[in-house]
Amino acid sequence: MLQVVWRGRALELQRAGVWPQLWRIVGEYANFSIFDVPSNDSLHDLLSSLPLFPYMRVQVTPLAHHPSKLD
């Protein structure tokens, strides 16, 4: 049941555009994600809304746009 709730929340956030990238890490029960949120507080609110948040180990690396990236 929790997996269904988790998947539903993940799909909701992806459709809203705040979770544009999600990859499975091969050989692990883990993923690598990119979130597009306006602030650190927004990211905290988003992550803490995930059903598995109490059991997750989260590492956050803030990213900035690179000036040489083609748009």
Side-chain angles (χ1 to χ4, degrees), residues 25-41:
I25 298 174
V26 176
E28 298 182 31
Y29 186 70
N31 70 66
F32 184 87
S33 297
I34 293 181
F35 296 97
D36 188 3
V37 293
S39 68
N40 291 336
D41 289 332

Side-chain angles (χ1 to χ4, degrees), residues 1-22:
M1 177 67 176
L2 186 57
Q3 186 173 9
V4 172
V5 173
W6 167 257
R7 179 173 165 74
R9 182 66 177 137
L11 292 173
E12 175 186 333
L13 292 168
Q14 289 174 70
R15 289 183 182 123
V18 296
W19 197 344
Q21 300 294 326
L22 172 61

